[in-house]
């Protein structure tokens, strides 16, 4: 049996050898395949990286001109901004040069008698009777036509020219008082706006005294409208001057009341006759209840101080009715009349008779 089996066992043994050999061969093939795969992956990775590098370089090259353009644009913008700043500077210089020129124009206008006074009536709330007029300066420019005070009063104030303009308006007011009295027999009270600079100018009181003496105008026909701002510099001397003006027999009113330096402590010491409620309060009082409250309280304040209270800038019947309900004494505004030339105002005077 042993002999019979031996060849089979030998065959089995060599079969085992053959299998072992095949397995080794297969492991070798597998390793080779793995190495080939890794090599392929490396090659792919390198190729991709190269591609990415190429793409990036391509992009960079493509973008370079855009970048340069952007830088150039930035430069251009910087230049434009510089130019604008320069233009702005030149503009401002030219503007102040123009203001200089118009200052000369104002002085020339005064010398050439291009100023006229317009007059706006004030009426008693209850009776509707004419109580007086406010003289308002107008510049009748030969080429530009009517120039409103807002266009020249601030500049005149700043430069001091207002003193000369104000003097002229006072003289014009006195002249008109005499003319109207002669023409209609009526004593018209004319209110004149006195700028803070004019009020503080040396010789203001002396000029008024001289004016009253030479024109023989009844001082109670002349009313001075001053603003609270005259108190800012030196309240004590302002109060002293007001006393002297009142002693002359002039009427005194605080204009634009409520917009400035409203010190109630000083107000009680002002020897004045009248409070003018600023038109900015009157304008909105029917719509804004707080503004209405201010107007109503101001009327009460004025009355407790023994003052006459007038509202300016009255444009509507609604405003008139509200003011009437609050016992405001006088009103002035477009509802009654716009400021008009003297010749037109005299027609109104004739109607009154
Ligand atoms: P102000 O003294 O408050 O004069 C009232 C202004 O309101 C005037 O403007 C008048 O025309 C305007 N006004 C009157 N009623 C109404 C109204 O119902 N509605 C509206 N929207 N406005 C009305 P104007 O004549 O342009 O004067 C403006 C300012 O110029 C005056 O304000 C005054 O501060 C100043 N001013 C005018 N003339 C002189 C002057 O001779 N000397 C001085 N120092 N200032 C003057
Ligand atoms: Ca006024
Ligand atoms: Ca006013």
């Amino acid at each position: 049996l042993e002999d019979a089996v031996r060849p089979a066992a030998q065959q089995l043994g060599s079969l085992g050898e053959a299998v072992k050999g095949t397995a080794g061969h297969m492991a070798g093939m597998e390793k080779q395949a793995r190495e080939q795969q890794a090599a392929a992956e490396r090659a792919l990775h390198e190729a991709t990286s190269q591609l990415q590098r190429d793409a990036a370089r391509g992009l960079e090259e493509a973008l370079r001109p855009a970048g340069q353009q952007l830088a150039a644009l930035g430069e251009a913008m910087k230049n434009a901004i510089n130019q604008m700043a320069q233009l702005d500077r030149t503009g401002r210089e030219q503007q102040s040069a123009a203001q200089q020129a118009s200052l000369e124009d104002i002085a020339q206008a005064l010398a050439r008698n291009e100023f006229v006074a317009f007059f706006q009536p004030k009426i008693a709330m209850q009776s509707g009777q004419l109580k007086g007029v406010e003289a308002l300066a107008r510049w009748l420019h030969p080429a530009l036509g009517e120039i409103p005070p807002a266009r020249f009063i601030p500049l005149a104030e700043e430069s001091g020219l207002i003193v000369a303009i104000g003097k002229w308006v006072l003289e014009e007011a006195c002249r008109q008082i005499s003319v109207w009295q002669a023409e209609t027999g009526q004593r018209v009270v004319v209110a004149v706006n006195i700028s803070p600079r004019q009020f503080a100018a040396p010789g203001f009181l002396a000029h008024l005294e001289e004016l009253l003496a030479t024109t023989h105008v009844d001082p109670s026909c002349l009313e001075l409208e001053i603003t609270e701002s005259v108190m800012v510099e030196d309240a004590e001397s302002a109060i002293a001057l007001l006393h002297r003006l009142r002693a002359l027999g002039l009427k005194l009113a605080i204009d634009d009341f409520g917009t400035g330096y409203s010190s109630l402590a000083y107000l009680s010491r002002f020897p004045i006759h009248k409070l003018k409620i600023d038109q900015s309060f009157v304008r909105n009082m029917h719509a804004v209840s707080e503004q209405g409250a201010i107007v109503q309280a101001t009327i009460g304040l004025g009355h407790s101080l023994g003052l006459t209270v007038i509202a300016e800038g009255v444009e509507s019947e609604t405003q008139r009715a509200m003011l009437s309900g609050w016992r405001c004494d006088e009103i002035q505004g477009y509802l009654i009349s716009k400021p008009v030339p003297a010749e037109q105002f005299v027609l109104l005077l004739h109607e009154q008779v």
Side-chain angles (χ1 to χ4, degrees), residues 134 193 225 227 255-257 276-279 312:
E134 177 175 4
N193 291 284
E225 292 192 4
T227 55
D255 200 1
D256 304 339
F257 185 73
K276 275 192 109 170
I277 303 177
D278 189 64
Q279 52 181 293
E312 64 177 352

Side-chain angles (χ1 to χ4, degrees), residues 277-289:
I277 303 177
D278 189 64
Q279 52 181 293
S280 60
F281 298 112
V282 176
R283 194 173 303 138
N284 300 317
M285 65 181 187
H286 55 286
V288 184
S289 61

